[in-house]
């Protein structure tokens, strides 16, 4: 067996211990294997405060892990490392709209329902639209197409946390430690511009959070507002009509690739033509919203799920394709999350069928459940909270 194969085997084993975040191997970076006896054992590092092991089992040292070499046939199947968990910094871009000015003043309470859009959406004309705008809370669902409200924005998070704890009491420490501002009254009061949120998610694809924020800033600066102070310019995102009227070369000045410029211009054209509207995003079923947005070039299923969850504030969104959610759920049900498996060419901690079966009992609050699965596995979600 060549030294290169041994090194690749060791790298794959280390990849399972680092949640798939190690960079792929390059021949120039391969180092000769150390002359360690075959009978030696690798000792797993002591978990840090707040890790999955401590949350589920209490603080303790893990026993030494004996890892045999990977058979050549299996090593060939695992030649490509798993993708990184989609970063929550992208979600930070989705939710980064204007904040409430008076943090000391309690936001007004509105009717709410877990299965609908609970965020107020901004229309291209500047008005705000909510699920029960212009209709009574007791309006017939058969006429409005929207279910009657079951709670209010002031109580939604409290009721959701109570449901999660009733289903799984072991979530109590993580829920007590981490306040989910997104679904709290102040988060539900923040107005979301759907075009801004979706365009921002395209900007953030396959780049770091810092790079995405820089591109977004430059993009906004391409559309200066007359009579608005320079300090206030960054808050005004261009309208779909403004972007749709631009040439691709002009949009690329913000640092966008040619493909992303095409995607954002195409998204703007759909909003400008009325094919996509705030009204549809508010009144449409989750399936309708998912179908219409995934049909837009540049918006994949995960991006749309994150927008529906953290942009529209729909409470029963669940993403089986997120590795962080997979890992958190695997830990919650007692699986060894140090073992990352490749099934059908995709990296999995749990199968989609297992995830759906396990998550069903947390409905209709699976968006919040998903957020806490990130917290269990120490995924940094500060970007969601701070933007």
């Amino acid at each position: 067996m060549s030294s290169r194969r041994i090194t690749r085997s060791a790298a794959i084993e280390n990849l399972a211990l680092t949640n798939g975040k190690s960079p792929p191997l390059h021949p120039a970076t391969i180092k000769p294997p150390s002359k360690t006896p075959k009978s030696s054992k690798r000792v797993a590092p002591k978990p840090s405060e707040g890790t999955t092991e401590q949350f589920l089992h209490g603080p303790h040292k893990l026993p030494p892990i004996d890892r045999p070499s990977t058979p050549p046939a299996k090593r060939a199947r695992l030649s490509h490392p798993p993708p990184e968990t989609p970063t929550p910094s992208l979600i930070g871009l989705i939710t980064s709209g204007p904040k409430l000015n008076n943090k000391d003043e309690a936001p007004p309470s509105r009717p709410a329902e877990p299965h609908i859009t609970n965020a107020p959406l901004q229309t291209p004309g500047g008005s705000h639209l909510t699920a029960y705008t212009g209709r009574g809370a007791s309006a017939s669902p058969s006429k409005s197409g929207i279910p009657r409200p079951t709670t209010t924005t002031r109580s939604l998070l409290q009721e959701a946390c109570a449901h999660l704890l009733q289903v799984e009491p072991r979530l109590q420490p993580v829920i007590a430690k981490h306040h989910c501002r997104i679904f709290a009254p102040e988060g539900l009061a923040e107005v979301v511009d759907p075009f801004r949120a979706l365009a921002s998610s395209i900007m953030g694809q396959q780049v770091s959070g810092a790079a995405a924020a820089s591109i977004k800033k430059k993009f906004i600066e391409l559309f200066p507002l007359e009579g608005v102070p320079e300090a206030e310019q960054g808050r005004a995102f261009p309208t779909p009509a403004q972007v749709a009227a631009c040439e691709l070369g002009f949009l690329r000045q913000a640092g966008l690739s040619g493909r992303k410029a095409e995607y954002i211009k195409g998204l703007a054209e759909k909003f400008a033509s009325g094919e996509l509207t705030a009204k549809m995003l508010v009144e449409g079923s989750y399936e309708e919203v998912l179908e219409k947005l995934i049909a837009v070039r540049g918006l994949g299923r995960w991006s749309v799920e994150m927008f529906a969850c953290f942009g529209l504030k729909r409470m029963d969104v669940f993403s089986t394709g997120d590795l962080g959610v997979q890992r958190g759920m695997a830990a919650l049900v007692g699986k060894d999350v140090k073992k990352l498996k490749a099934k059908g060419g995709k990296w999995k901690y749990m199968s989609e069928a297992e995830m759906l079966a396990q998550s069903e009992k947390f409905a209709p609050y699976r968006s919040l459940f998903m957020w806490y699965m990130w917290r269990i596995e120490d995924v940094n979600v500060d970007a969601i909270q701070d933007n």
Side-chain angles (χ1 to χ4, degrees):
M1 183 181 296
S2 68
S3 62
R4 177 172 175 175
R5 288 187 177 181
I6 295 176
T7 305
R8 189 176 294 276
S9 172
I12 292 171
E13 292 159 6
N14 287 335
L15 197 58
L17 289 172
T18 57
N19 196 19
K21 294 185 179 179
S22 295
L25 278 175
H26 187 280
T29 64
I30 297 176
K31 298 180 180 179
S34 59
K35 298 180 180 180
T36 307
K38 292 184 178 180
S39 60
S40 65
K41 300 179 180 179
R42 182 182 291 113
V43 180
K46 181 179 179 180
S48 59
E49 181 180 357
T51 58
T52 303
E53 288 81 10
Q54 290 177 326
F55 170 64
L56 296 177
H57 311 296
H60 61 278
K61 290 185 177 180
L62 297 177
I65 301 174
D66 191 10
R67 298 194 179 277
S69 60
T70 306
K74 185 175 181 180
R75 184 167 55 248
R77 293 196 302 269
L78 303 181
S79 58
H80 300 289
E84 293 188 6
T85 297
T87 171
S89 64
L90 176 60
I91 303 167
L93 290 174
I94 293 174
T95 59
S96 59
K99 303 301 179 185
L100 298 178
N101 294 326
N102 191 347
K103 296 183 179 180
D104 297 327
E105 182 180 339
S109 183
R110 294 182 287 105
E113 209 281 334
H115 299 95
I116 67 168
T117 293
N118 290 295
L121 300 189
Q122 179 176 312
T123 68
S127 61
H128 299 167
L129 185 65
T130 65
Y132 300 100
T133 298
R135 61 175 67 89
S138 59
S140 171
S142 61
K143 294 181 179 180
S144 66
I146 297 177
R148 289 190 177 95
T150 57
T151 184
T152 66
T153 53
R154 191 167 294 170
S155 305
L156 185 59
L157 178 61
Q158 182 180 356
E159 293 177 10
C161 288
H163 178 74
L164 264 57
L165 288 173
Q166 182 180 12
V167 172
E168 180 51 79
R170 289 186 300 164
L171 289 173
Q172 195 279 329
V174 74
I175 289 177
K177 183 178 180 181
H178 302 292
H179 172 65
C180 184
R181 183 187 179 282
I182 294 173
F183 302 119
E186 61 270 25
L188 295 174
E190 292 170 356
V191 179
V192 174
D193 177 351
F195 173 63
R196 174 181 183 140
L198 291 168
S200 298
S201 74
I202 293 175
M203 295 178 196
Q205 292 171 5
Q206 299 178 337
V207 297
S208 68
S214 175
I215 292 171
K216 184 175 181 179
K217 181 176 181 293
K218 293 176 182 177
F219 185 83
I220 293 174
E221 290 172 349
L222 291 176
F223 302 87
L225 296 175
E226 295 182 4
V228 177
E230 184 176 351
E232 299 291 322
Q233 288 282 351
R235 297 189 179 186
F237 201 81
T239 65
Q242 286 178 298
V243 177
C246 293
E247 298 292 336
L248 294 178
F250 177 77
L251 298 180
R252 292 192 64 183
Q253 294 180 62
L256 293 167
S257 66
R259 187 62 59 85
K260 285 186 179 181
E262 289 179 15
Y263 291 161
I264 292 175
K265 181 177 171 67
L267 175 69
E269 290 170 346
K270 288 185 179 294
F271 272 102
S273 68
E275 186 176 343
L276 294 177
T277 65
K279 188 174 185 292
M280 183 278 294
L281 296 173
V282 166
E283 297 182 354
S285 67
Y286 176 60
E287 290 73 21
E288 181 184 359
V289 169
L290 206 66
E291 179 182 357
K292 285 187 175 293
L293 292 182
I294 290 178
V296 178
R297 291 182 65 215
L299 293 177
R301 185 179 184 89
W302 183 86
S303 296
V304 173
E305 288 170 340
M306 296 302 106
F307 170 68
C309 179
F310 301 112
L312 301 181
K313 309 293 197 308
R314 291 189 175 232
M315 292 294 293
D316 201 32
V317 177
F318 187 69
S319 176
T320 58
D322 188 291
L323 281 181
V325 176
Q326 289 180 18
R327 184 178 169 92
M329 289 189 67
L332 188 65
V333 299
K335 290 194 173 187
D336 184 0
V337 294
K338 297 295 186 289
K339 296 179 180 179
L340 181 60
K341 298 179 180 179
K343 295 181 179 180
K346 295 183 178 180
W347 294 87
K348 294 285 185 182
Y349 291 98
M350 295 180 73
S351 68
E352 291 186 6
E354 285 180 288
M355 292 179 72
L356 290 172
Q358 291 291 336
S359 68
E360 185 62 32
K361 57 189 176 184
F362 295 100
Y365 302 110
R366 287 180 291 182
S367 296
L368 182 65
F369 171 69
M370 189 163 59
W371 191 86
Y372 279 120
M373 290 303 96
W374 279 333
R375 279 303 193 187
I376 286 178
E377 273 305 289
D378 299 320
V379 174
N380 183 7
V381 295
D382 289 341
I384 304 177
Q385 298 279 42
D386 296 339
N387 286 283

